Amino acid sequence: MKPLADCRLYAFVDTAYLQGRAPELVAQQLCDGGADLIQLRAKASTPNEIRQMAEKSCPSPGWRTLDWSSMITRTSPRLRCGICHLGQEDFFDAGHKHVIELWGMERVVRIGLSTHSPEQAKRALAAGADYIAVGPVYATGTKPTTKPVTLEYVRWAAAPQSGVNIPWFAIGGITLGNLDDVLAAGARRIVWCRQF
């Protein structure tokens, strides 16, 4: 599996935007296009439906690294996905303080956490997250009520004094039109979750 530190492009297969396309086809296209990580976002699906989608879309040995993340932590180990991404509400608001609470010391699955401020990033670091998402940098249709964190938060995460010593990915409203600004602010890893 490709180390998280070497991953640069994180993409989504979001069932809300498939427009009749098969998730496994979209996953293949994302891999062919250079995605290092792919998250399956299926908020309206049952754990069984998520399992079936992920099993159909599992990479063949010839593919580059492909990690499936699901928003349902109990499903992740059974799917043998390498990473599970959780939002603040799924982790801290659910009462968790450290990632070992999810599966114990064996760390069955690596955990990524969403963050929307420096304080949340510091909390995620203390909780043992394997990576964090920094955003939403810009307004995004996937989180229409969330206020953008702007490039200031990206600059903070990129600064050595921030203490962010794990991989982090800029996320939210990033397009080809603003990608250069995000990179200039210090991001080296990008999440692409636009409708395509």
Side-chain angles (χ1 to χ4, degrees):
M1 180 179 290
K2 190 174 191 176
L4 272 171
D6 295 340
C7 294
R8 297 290 179 252
L9 181 59
Y10 185 140
F12 278 70
V13 172
D14 190 330
T15 56
Y17 296 106
L18 287 176
Q19 299 175 341
R21 295 172 295 170
E24 61 270 21
L25 173 63
V26 175
Q28 177 69 60
Q29 291 170 336
L30 289 169
C31 278
D32 291 346
D36 297 308
L37 300 169
I38 296 179
Q39 178 176 326
L40 173 60
R41 179 184 278 173
K43 292 192 175 200
S45 300
T46 67
N48 189 50
E49 290 168 333
I50 291 170
R51 181 183 50 73
Q52 289 174 359
M53 280 186 273
E55 286 174 352
K56 281 184 177 179
S57 304
C58 279
S60 67
W63 284 16
R64 281 189 321 264
T65 300
L66 173 67
D67 288 331
W68 279 95
S69 302
S70 108
M71 299 305 283
I72 301 174
T73 58
R74 295 193 201 298
T75 305
S76 300
R78 288 195 304 266
L79 294 177
R80 296 180 312 276
C81 66
I83 298 171
C84 180
H85 186 87
L86 299 169
Q88 291 283 305
E89 66 283 356
D90 301 312
F91 189 78
F92 292 114
D93 294 355
H96 299 294
K97 293 182 176 33
H98 199 278
V99 298
I100 62 170
E101 296 170 19
L102 297 173
W103 294 292
M105 295 303 290
E106 65 269 10
R107 296 291 299 264
V108 175
V109 174
R110 291 180 287 173
I111 301 294
L113 295 173
S114 295
T115 67
H116 314 298
S117 68
E119 295 73 27
Q120 289 182 356
K122 291 173 187 174
R123 191 173 181 197
L125 291 168
D130 294 289
Y131 76 91
I132 60 173
V134 170
V137 179
Y138 300 102
T140 175
T142 60
K143 303 252 182 193
T145 60
T146 304
K147 184 180 176 186
V149 298
T150 75
L151 291 172
E152 286 306 310
Y153 184 31
V154 174
R155 288 185 192 98
W156 176 86
Q161 63 269 26
S162 73
V164 178
N165 57 0
I166 59 174
W168 60 273
F169 294 82
I171 185 172
I174 299 171
T175 67
L176 293 176
N178 59 32
L179 178 60
D180 287 341
D181 294 335
V182 178
L183 295 173
R188 296 298 171 259
R189 297 174 190 88
I190 303 295
V191 179
W192 184 264
C193 46
R194 294 293 229 165
Q195 182 176 349
F196 48 90

